[in-house]
Amino acid sequence: RFPTAIERAELAAGMRDADARVTESLRVLGYPDGRVAARALDEVTGVLTVTVAPGERTLLASVAASGLTPADEARLLAGVPLAAGDPARADRIALAALAVEQDLHRRGFADATVRARVADLADGAPAVRVTLEADPGAAYRVGAVSFDALRHTRRSLAERLAGLQEGAVYDPA
């Protein structure tokens, strides 16, 4: 998160933006109350030591999906890298939603969207419920494919390069 010398200097100086990047990194990793506790610069070696107070880590209480058939829900949830008890990492939650969306796209749901909804538990425990809300939309198949007005390309080459087979599932990728 601090790849340049200027960014590291900002962190050493205690600049607000640098502290905000640290706390945002902690939040993404499942520490919503993390903060910079101290910083020390060794003047001999030039090594900056930043001490963070991460706070309590938030865990996943449950992972569910909505908007899918029961069979798709079971299959897709088995393939995402999230499970109850795991740290509530925002990056992994976003990747899980993306993986479900891409799976739907590959199966012909070109307009599919998936949103990860994260909800706190009612009892105030440091855990959240994650629901991957899917809106698959309509499934598409490839209709008739034709190549007109080809002058310098053979029809067989164009068909092979396009990779479209009539009746096949449409994959927008």
Side-chain angles (χ1 to χ4, degrees):
R1 287 279 189 169
F2 299 91
T4 68
I6 290 174
E7 290 173 321
R8 290 188 294 276
E10 289 174 347
L11 183 61
M15 296 187 75
R16 243 180 158 173
D17 288 347
D19 284 0
R21 286 194 303 270
V22 170
T23 56
E24 176 62 15
S25 294
L26 289 168
R27 187 195 64 75
V28 166
L29 294 172
Y31 297 99
D33 300 322
R35 63 182 176 78
V36 175
R39 57 181 54 79
L41 181 60
D42 184 318
E43 293 185 21
V44 175
T45 63
V47 173
L48 170 65
T49 302
V50 177
T51 305
V52 296
E56 193 166 12
R57 191 167 210 182
T58 302
L59 302 176
L60 298 175
S62 64
V63 179
S66 65
L68 301 169
T69 66
D72 279 344
E73 182 177 334
R75 180 181 61 78
L76 291 170
L77 287 179
V80 297
L82 299 176
D86 287 350
R89 290 185 50 171
D91 57 341
R92 290 190 180 157
I93 293 169
L95 285 173
L98 180 62
V100 170
E101 188 172 287
Q102 288 175 337
D103 180 272
L104 289 168
H105 287 173
R106 283 190 300 274
R107 293 185 306 114
F109 296 94
D111 300 326
T113 58
V114 177
R115 179 175 180 227
R117 182 171 306 278
V118 180
D120 294 328
L121 297 181
D123 63 4
V128 294
R129 284 187 304 275
V130 173
T131 304
L132 301 175
E133 298 175 343
D135 179 8
Y140 296 99
R141 293 200 168 274
V142 176
V145 179
S146 65
F147 297 91
D148 300 326
L150 295 175
R151 289 181 176 211
H152 305 288
T153 304
R154 292 187 317 274
R155 183 175 308 281
S156 62
L157 176 62
E159 289 171 348
R160 191 170 61 246
L161 291 174
L164 299 173
Q165 298 296 323
E166 187 172 336
V169 171
Y170 174 68
D171 181 356

